[in-house]
Amino acid sequence: MPDPSSDPSGPDFLINPRLDRRAPYGEDLRAILSLEKGRAAHKAISAWDGYAPTPLRDLPAIADALDLGQVLYKDEGGRFGLRSFKALGGAYAVDRLLAARGPEGLTVACATDGNHGRSVAWGARRAGVKAVIYIHGNVSEGRAEAIRSLGATVVREGRNYDDSVRACAQAAKANGWQIVSDTSWPGYEQVPKDVMQGYSVLSNEVEAQGARPTHVFVQGGVGGIAAAVLSDSWERHGAARPVFVVVEPENAACLLESARAGAVTAVGGDLETIMAGLACGEPSILAWRILQPGADAFMTVRDAAAADAMRQLAMLGVVGGESGVAGLAGLIKAARDPALRSALGLDASSRVLCYGTEGATDPDVYRAIVGRSAEEVGRAA
């Protein structure tokens, strides 16, 4: 576990000052996410056409290069053909809405950097209802077209993700649409709970696949995936759970800044980063209720580190998208920095799990960074 006596906290790394690893996963947290509701989500999602557990890849070459015992990579690049873990969340929340109110007159809407919108659009198509998806100015046209191909209406509005969230909320109120968001705010909590509970399928699969990590590195964004996998591990293993590190782009580190401030904190600017799915300036309040007391550390990585991690995976025949490799990029940074390595207790016996949350969700962007297409990388595996 992290060693507070060797805490190298700075602008790009923070040992959580409010962590108490002995604290139980209490009823207040189970009201947000729980093993019981996670099992129900897994049962429902595993009955969908095309379901299969995604691979848990062992990367011995990376482990050897970093002087670690093992590096595992949960590869979400093939999830339901959408190439992202977010296929689990938005579509599951749409299913839950249909069960609660039926399809009559239902239009679902959300803001997205790409992957969540694809999931909501896919879930809407499965359910036979309409979807309106808001994207911001930095979302690539390739990602926009992938959403349109699922039958959704795409609206481009705002400089960044948080602008799109507000624009979508206003339009939904005016038009009577149902928002299906992966972030939460005061008065809007049940649907984001369902989205995050869908994400917990990943940790259910990891447990069944036999992983017993000492450390977990997972990307931030608004905090949904991080909260989902942390909650599962915390409730299962208590104080014996792995050291849990949340990784964000340096230009969109709202979770690290919230940890530093001791309260939900928004970060401004255009949030521009190649890790488009993590370009979020405001945390989900629900996710933060789990991450603030339970995450061990928060850190940031630069775009160049994410691109390098993509290329390292490609050399091993693994396709990792820009946002999907953030956790691995964080691990590489931490393992190569003596102060961070010591603070996190990383050594030659460490077994590290990274969540590879997306594949090549924009093929043109992937090729530009890696120098080969995802298909070429896959064929070379």
Side-chain angles (χ1 to χ4, degrees):
M1 65 183 61
D3 177 8
S5 67
S6 61
D7 183 357
S9 293
D12 61 349
F13 181 85
L14 182 71
I15 293 289
N16 185 358
R18 291 161 185 84
L19 172 70
D20 178 1
R21 288 186 63 89
R22 297 169 298 178
Y25 192 80
E27 288 296 329
D28 57 332
L29 300 181
R30 282 196 290 273
I32 302 171
L33 296 170
S34 71
L35 288 176
E36 180 182 5
K37 288 178 283 191
R39 284 190 286 267
H42 197 176
K43 181 179 179 180
I45 290 170
S46 63
W48 295 354
D49 289 344
Y51 170 78
T54 52
L56 184 63
R57 303 193 185 280
D58 197 347
L59 305 177
I62 292 180
D64 289 347
L66 299 177
D67 192 22
L68 299 170
Q70 185 178 47
V71 174
L72 296 172
Y73 185 82
K74 180 65 168 166
D75 184 357
E76 289 293 296
R79 183 72 75 177
F80 286 115
L82 300 188
R83 304 179 180 180
S84 165
F85 82 102
K86 292 211 170 182
L88 299 167
Y92 180 62
V94 172
D95 272 11
R96 297 278 291 171
L97 279 171
L98 258 68
R101 58 148 290 174
E104 187 66 31
L106 177 62
T107 297
V108 294
C110 73
T112 186
D113 287 310
N115 292 338
H116 177 67
R118 289 180 76 175
S119 178
V120 172
W122 180 63
R125 188 176 72 174
R126 289 179 67 248
V129 301
K130 296 178 180 178
V132 181
I133 311 298
Y134 276 68
I135 62 174
H136 57 84
N138 290 328
V139 175
S140 71
E141 187 54 30
R143 290 191 173 93
E145 187 53 39
I147 296 168
R148 292 190 193 99
S149 72
L150 294 168
T153 298
V154 175
V155 179
R156 191 182 288 272
E157 185 170 342
R159 284 191 315 150
N160 56 43
Y161 172 76
D162 302 300
D163 288 346
S164 293
V165 168
R166 286 184 280 270
C168 180
Q170 292 168 3
K173 183 176 181 180
N175 291 287
W177 303 334
Q178 172 63 58
I179 296 177
V180 180
S181 178
D182 58 351
T183 192
S184 58
W185 51 84
Y188 178 75
E189 295 193 351
Q190 185 55 52
V191 171
K193 288 179 183 179
D194 291 336
V195 171
M196 290 192 294
Q197 202 67 75
Y199 296 162
S200 71
V201 168
L202 274 76
S203 44
N204 270 275
E205 290 179 357
V206 164
E207 193 79 14
Q209 288 166 323
R212 297 294 181 266
T214 60
H215 296 73
V216 172
F217 283 70
V218 65
Q219 25 278 51
V222 299
I225 178 61
V229 297
L230 171 58
S231 70
D232 186 285
S233 183
W234 189 352
E235 190 172 356
R236 284 181 194 273
H237 304 296
R241 67 188 182 273
V243 173
F244 197 89
V245 185
V246 180
V247 185
E248 300 173 277
E250 65 175 357
N251 291 343
C254 60
L255 298 172
L256 185 150
E257 293 305 327
S258 295
R260 199 186 308 280
V264 170
T265 300
V267 297
D270 60 15
L271 310 177
E272 188 172 354
T273 170
I274 65 167
M275 293 168 273
L278 308 179
C280 308
E282 299 179 25
S284 164
I285 59 172
L286 285 174
W288 186 243
R289 289 174 195 162
I290 294 171
L291 295 174
Q292 183 177 34
D296 291 271
F298 300 83
M299 66 182 297
T300 67
V301 291
R302 295 178 176 177
D303 282 0
D308 182 62
M310 292 171 67
R311 290 188 283 266
Q312 288 195 48
L313 285 176
M315 291 174 62
L316 303 174
V318 179
V319 177
E322 312 90 84
S323 300
V325 302
L328 178 60
L331 169 62
I332 292 169
K333 173 181 175 177
R336 289 176 172 169
D337 183 309
L340 301 189
R341 189 179 177 96
S342 174
L344 293 172
L346 288 167
D347 59 33
S349 68
S350 297
R351 304 180 305 277
V352 186
L353 169 63
C354 299
Y355 281 92
T357 50
E358 69 170 11
T361 53
D362 187 318
D364 292 338
V365 172
Y366 182 85
R367 180 191 285 274
I369 293 172
V370 172
R372 288 182 287 161
S373 70
E375 291 73 21
E376 291 170 321
V377 169
R379 284 196 297 269

